[in-house]
Amino acid sequence: MHYLPQMLFALVLTIGIGFFIKNVSQLRRNIRLGRALQVNDNKSQRWKNMIKIALGQTKMVVRPIAGFLHIIVYLGFIIINIEVLEIVIDGLFGTHRIGLQLLSKPIYGFLIGAFEILAVLVLIAVIIFWIRRNGIKLKRFLSSEMKGWPKNDGNIILYFEVVLMCLFLVMNAADTNFQVLDSGNIVSQYIAPIFSDMPANTLHLIERSAWWLHIIGILAFLNYLYYSKHLHILLAFPNTYYGKLTPQGQFKNLDAVTQEVKLMMDPNADPFAAPAEDAVEPEKFGASDVTDLSWVQLLNAYTCTECGRCTSECPANQTGKKLSPRKIMMDTRDRLEEVGKNISANKGAFKDDGKQLLGDYISHEELWACTSCNACVQACPVSIDPLSIIMDMRQYLVMEQSSAPSDLNNMMGNIENNGAPWPFNQMDRLNWTSEN
Amino acid sequence: MESSLKVPTMAELFAEGKQPEVLFWVGCAGSFDDRAKKITKAFIKILNKANVAFAVLGTEESCTGDPAKRAGNEFLFQMQAVTNIEVMNAYEVKKVVTACPHCFNTLKNEYPGLGGNYEVIHHTQFLKQLLSEGSITMEGGQYKGKRITFHDPCYLGRANGVYEAPRDLIKKLDAELVEMKSCKSRGLCCGAGGAQMFKEPEKGNKDINVERTEQALETKPEIIAAGCPFCNTMMTDGVKNKEKEASVKVMDIAELIATTEDL
Ligand code: SF4
Ligand code: SF4
């Protein structure tokens, strides 16, 4: 019987981590549904970006209040996880506060004291976040794409945080030995009096319950991530690493098109030559579904925190157009999940469901409203590029479907015929020199 | 003064066996749009005054392909690019200056991958160089103390990180540079980019250029300075929409300098 709690703990831990591994492998599989893309240039710059943007949160502080609060919650999250390490060791080996045996009393007290203070700061930050989300009417949390699950998701995480922080403080307050130690109970000493009249047994029960609930809560949180915008706490790191390094204005040139153009421009090429035997099926231009996007774009979609900074900077969205770069990312993720589930349900092969990202999720109207201004890319705190998805889908619309708005078809016709977007003759390009 | 504009073409110089220092890429707007042509001329006056050895491609220039690419027509873009690159490479062009941020961005970032490698700079950067070399002086003092706000073109600012060159020039005019609440990396688009210039906007509750003009007018400017022919059109329309054209002018940086130099 003596080992029962330890065995139980090992079981809970195994289940929690097991599910997490399953989630991660599903995530990996879905991201790899994207087109191949080699990203192995400029490694040192990529590491720097990851450290600066993901770890250092440099882009969060552009909005100082939200940025500051976020840093508190983020630091709280990371540092309090050191405490989780202790819980895991204690749980597996049947020890109690192993840290006290490994570290000197003042150091241990300092650490736990710091955690307690952070827990309170996190609580305060989370309450302010909750008010921002639900009390004051902040426009970027009210958009249509934030109804239903996305809204609940944002709040659920906040409740999670509150419960976890409270459990941590109660666990410390109800631990008589820890209170007697009087080192590190900076906050919990004020909660302890609530329990002072209780018999030792009850106290022990409360302490144990808080301890168990705390670790179970953390494991639950870990497995909740996959279904939540909070996946960014993990994916922000790879995503900032793989983020775009070239100037924002530089859009990639399609290699498949380059080959065709070169062939057309080459006076020696024989236009009637039979296609080479091994000619691969011509690549589809642009994107109509998630599998046409690159894996980095799909990683982007899973990383999106749904914060709406992109959308609130978007000129189209600000002036009432349907386009919202956040929605582009959320749609991409939703569709990818749908495709992933389809594959899982059909033993690893996708069964046509008659749907696609273009049209069923993202409308033409949204795509044509974009000015390619890069404000969304600039605003994103985790290096997501919604614009690249918009452009890939425009390419599909124009090159595969010839369905650009008629004004744009005129413009393109002019370029093709006159070398200018307006119906002026190329031979008149110097006329301005002789006009007044 | 108009008649004295010296605009050599690459073909003419080539026939004389000469090679200019820099190619001035005029662009479609700069060649055909009435408002933008004034900017082209202002810039040329400055180039003439500073004795810059430049040339234009003239009738050998063709659209860079930027609006086609942003509209999704990669094919047309690359056709344009390859044609232009062939012409420029034949003239052994090394350096290109342009007054259009869209041309600037495309030539600088998207042409190298297709075989066109040039040093490409925006005309505000070029003017700043002329100033620091002493080739232009900007002594007129016409804009002394005037409130000027600068609208960042997306394809100059965010897209390529050029924020300071135009601002430095405005400060050199002794003008009072006033910033809009969203400027530099957070500057709001004028609404023309991504081929929007050539189509009707989607349904919404406002036009983007009006929104941006309102932001500009909040700074109580006498002049809204621009560095892009398309922004210029959009902001000019916005000012008209707000019925402020009598008190607020929209001018390109090159025009400001040309007038202060009394050209
Ligand atoms: S690039 Fe397009 S989606 Fe992004 S902010 Fe600009 S207009 Fe909006
Ligand atoms: S794309 Fe970036 S800025 Fe936009 S909602 Fe997602 S995380 Fe926020």
Side-chain angles (χ1 to χ4, degrees), chain A residues 163-211:
Chain A
V163 171
L164 286 180
M165 293 304 125
C166 289
L167 285 171
F168 173 67
L169 290 173
V170 167
M171 174 182 107
N172 284 353
D175 186 339
T176 329
N177 290 338
F178 176 67
Q179 291 300 329
V180 170
L181 201 65
D182 202 20
S183 169
N185 55 346
I186 301 183
V187 179
S188 56
Q189 58 179 300
Y190 299 105
I191 309 172
I194 305 175
F195 305 118
S196 58
D197 296 337
M198 294 185 186
N201 270 346
T202 320
L203 255 186
H204 185 67
L205 195 69
I206 293 176
E207 191 267 340
R208 281 293 87 190
S209 308
W211 186 91

Side-chain angles (χ1 to χ4, degrees), chain A residues 303-311 326 329 376 379-382 384 386:
Chain A
T303 308
C304 177
T305 74
E306 297 168 19
C307 69
R309 289 174 181 227
C310 51
T311 294
R326 167 173 58 188
M329 301 318 299
C376 51
C380 182
V382 286
I384 289 171

Side-chain angles (χ1 to χ4, degrees), chain A residues 313 321 368 370 372 394 419, chain B residues 63 70 155 186 196 206:
Chain A
E313 298 280 312
K321 286 28 169 218
W368 290 117
C370 174
S372 74
R394 277 191 183 183
Chain B
C63 174
R70 317 286 138 182
Y155 276 90
R186 292 185 76 179
Q196 295 295 339
K206 204 188 230 177

Side-chain angles (χ1 to χ4, degrees), chain A residues 25-314:
Chain A
S25 63
Q26 194 146 326
L27 192 68
R28 240 178 87 89
R29 183 204 64 193
N30 288 357
I31 289 174
R32 291 162 73 126
L33 292 174
R35 278 189 189 174
L37 181 73
Q38 291 281 356
V39 191
N40 43 24
D41 57 325
N42 231 327
K43 292 210 170 73
S44 68
Q45 185 57 43
R46 293 185 179 281
W47 282 108
K48 264 188 226 150
N49 281 354
M50 183 172 105
I51 290 169
K52 235 175 52 194
I53 303 171
L55 202 62
Q57 312 235 317
T58 43
K59 286 217 157 175
M60 283 303 293
V61 290
V62 174
R63 302 198 177 190
I65 301 173
F68 178 69
L69 293 172
H70 185 268
I71 286 181
I72 290 179
V73 176
Y74 159 78
L75 275 181
F77 176 81
I78 293 199
I79 296 178
I80 289 176
N81 273 329
I82 303 176
E83 168 67 17
V84 174
L85 189 68
E86 184 184 44
I87 295 186
V88 170
I89 297 175
D90 283 347
L92 286 177
F93 297 99
T95 48
H96 184 66
R97 294 198 184 263
I98 182 83
L100 256 180
Q101 289 159 40
L102 301 177
L103 307 167
S104 67
K105 183 179 132 184
I107 294 182
Y108 185 77
F110 173 80
L111 277 177
I112 300 290
F115 299 163
E116 288 199 349
I117 292 174
L118 265 171
V120 172
L121 288 176
V122 168
L123 273 175
I124 297 172
V126 163
I127 290 168
I128 302 177
F129 273 146
W130 189 88
I131 296 173
R132 271 173 85 249
R133 253 175 204 278
N134 303 282
I136 57 174
K137 302 256 175 286
L138 209 61
K139 191 166 165 266
R140 67 184 157 117
F141 293 131
L142 297 175
S143 337
S144 56
E145 70 258 28
M146 294 310 285
K147 303 251 155 64
W149 170 245
K151 181 177 160 109
N152 295 338
D153 179 26
N155 283 330
I156 288 173
I157 287 290
L158 295 178
Y159 303 142
F160 244 117
E161 296 263 4
V162 171
V163 171
L164 286 180
M165 293 304 125
C166 289
L167 285 171
F168 173 67
L169 290 173
V170 167
M171 174 182 107
N172 284 353
D175 186 339
T176 329
N177 290 338
F178 176 67
Q179 291 300 329
V180 170
L181 201 65
D182 202 20
S183 169
N185 55 346
I186 301 183
V187 179
S188 56
Q189 58 179 300
Y190 299 105
I191 309 172
I194 305 175
F195 305 118
S196 58
D197 296 337
M198 294 185 186
N201 270 346
T202 320
L203 255 186
H204 185 67
L205 195 69
I206 293 176
E207 191 267 340
R208 281 293 87 190
S209 308
W211 186 91
W212 274 98
L213 286 174
H214 187 62
I215 188 69
I216 291 173
I218 283 173
L219 289 172
F221 181 82
L222 195 64
N223 282 295
Y224 177 73
L225 288 183
Y226 178 65
Y227 307 96
S228 159
K229 76 192 186 84
H230 276 67
L231 206 43
H232 76 272
I233 61 177
L234 303 175
L235 295 188
F237 293 90
N239 202 69
T240 47
Y241 180 88
Y242 290 111
K244 181 171 173 176
L245 295 183
T246 46
Q248 283 177 11
Q250 180 175 340
F251 295 6
K252 65 178 192 302
N253 295 332
L254 279 189
D255 290 336
V257 172
T258 312
Q259 282 165 17
E260 279 195 40
V261 169
K262 287 248 161 79
L263 210 64
M264 281 180 62
M265 307 289 279
D266 181 2
N268 299 322
D270 176 4
F272 301 109
E277 294 277 314
D278 55 351
V280 277
E281 189 153 316
E283 199 185 338
K284 167 174 164 188
F285 296 121
S288 62
D289 208 349
V290 284
T291 43
D292 304 323
L293 297 170
S294 77
W295 66 269
V296 174
Q297 288 169 313
L298 300 186
L299 173 66
N300 275 190
Y302 273 124
T303 308
C304 177
T305 74
E306 297 168 19
C307 69
R309 289 174 181 227
C310 51
T311 294
S312 77
E313 298 280 312
C314 172

